[in-house]
Amino acid sequence: MPNPRHGKRNAEASPTLSAPSRHSRGGGARTAPRHRRAVERVAELHRKVRRQRTDHAHKAALALVRDYDQVAHERLSIANMVRAPKPKPAPEAPGSFLPNGAASRAGLNRSILEVGWGVFLGILAQKAESAARIRIPVDPRNTSRTCPECGHVDDENRDGEKFQCTACGYRDHADRVGAWNVALRAGLVLPDVA
Ligand SMILES: [Zn+2]
């Protein structure tokens, strides 16, 4: 699903926003209505961007519950849910999905960044319930620092996108490690005990 750049498109579509103040200097009675129109237009654009973002999150969540019977994610604390979404991609985003391509096809990461985890997980909960899908929140502690191979927990295991276990040498992309740990905790995959 292509993800339109909502904010940018709307910004480009409103070149008239800066015009009223320039032309209304000394305009007397005409200033107020023009100004109000501009303010209303800005408010309308904000509403539109917000609606598009939410629409996109609805579509991504729907794609997820359509394709999967069970979805595991890190449990969000109340503090995380009420906090405003961070404007930048957070490497320690409180949640992971198995990186098998389905998530990126659904524009999942982008949607989550747009609306924030709290809003996205709320939408996902609704979709999962109405589609009779199982949603499994798991303990989010140390999912990015735990080796999915040997269980060793160490800050040093992770360096940005790279994960390398200081105990057993297991290497993988940090996002995959996070997703595997969530899946392991949810019981969706079995630990390798061989
Ligand atoms: Zn290890």
Side-chain angles (χ1 to χ4, degrees), residues 147-152 157 163 165-170:
C147 174
E149 192 68 20
C150 75
H152 180 64
N157 282 351
F163 183 98
C165 180
T166 56
C168 76
Y170 174 83

Side-chain angles (χ1 to χ4, degrees), residues 26-39:
R30 300 185 59 168
T31 306
R34 272 172 181 261
H35 178 66
R36 194 168 62 231
R37 276 201 301 277
V39 169

Side-chain angles (χ1 to χ4, degrees), residues 68 96-104 109 172-180:
Y68 298 94
S96 309
F97 297 84
L98 284 175
N100 57 4
S104 59
N109 291 347
D172 206 339
H173 191 285
D175 288 347
R176 271 185 65 86
V177 168
W180 274 116

